[in-house]
Amino acid sequence: MKEQKKEFITCMDGRIADCKQRAMKLSGEGCTEESVFENIRLNIYEIFKTVFLAAEKSCGEDKTALQNFFLQKLEQIPENWKISYEKAEKHGDSEKMYIENIKLETAQKVREIFKKIYHIV
């Protein structure tokens, strides 16, 4: 199980580093808005890395408890983003919709990575 934990953290660290690098590059090119979007992705990966580390600390070596806890958080945390997206859609706020969609897509990527590493169907 330790290998899976290490693999997940390594993957999150890689995603975080990639986002930081892209954000800096975009900012340097004067693409401020795109840089902000990349920083949003970065923040989502950092949030879920932190949640995973908390789950690991809380659940110890209980793999099932860790998986259940983390999967539950992967459902709970994005709920407010879904609500915010729907509100933005009602008000025709395309920028807010785009931002919330970035968050939701990134959370979905985290879910896919986690399920792949932990062999969850």
Side-chain angles (χ1 to χ4, degrees), residues 90-104:
K90 282 182 184 177
H91 292 77
D93 186 345
S94 59
E95 184 175 349
K96 182 70 171 171
M97 287 170 56
Y98 188 73
I99 289 169
E100 297 307 317
N101 194 52
I102 289 171
K103 294 175 186 178
L104 293 167

Side-chain angles (χ1 to χ4, degrees), residues 1-42:
M1 184 165 99
K2 289 186 181 190
E3 285 302 314
Q4 289 171 316
K5 290 178 183 179
K6 184 179 176 182
E7 184 179 352
F8 183 76
I9 293 300
T10 299
C11 188
M12 290 298 100
D13 285 342
R15 296 286 176 122
I16 289 165
D18 290 346
C19 289
K20 282 181 183 177
Q21 184 179 10
R22 281 192 301 271
M24 286 176 41
K25 182 177 185 245
L26 289 164
S27 181
E29 294 172 351
C31 302
T32 308
E33 194 170 343
E34 290 85 356
S35 177
V36 168
F37 297 151
E38 207 56 47
N39 279 311
I40 291 168
R41 286 182 189 89
L42 164 72

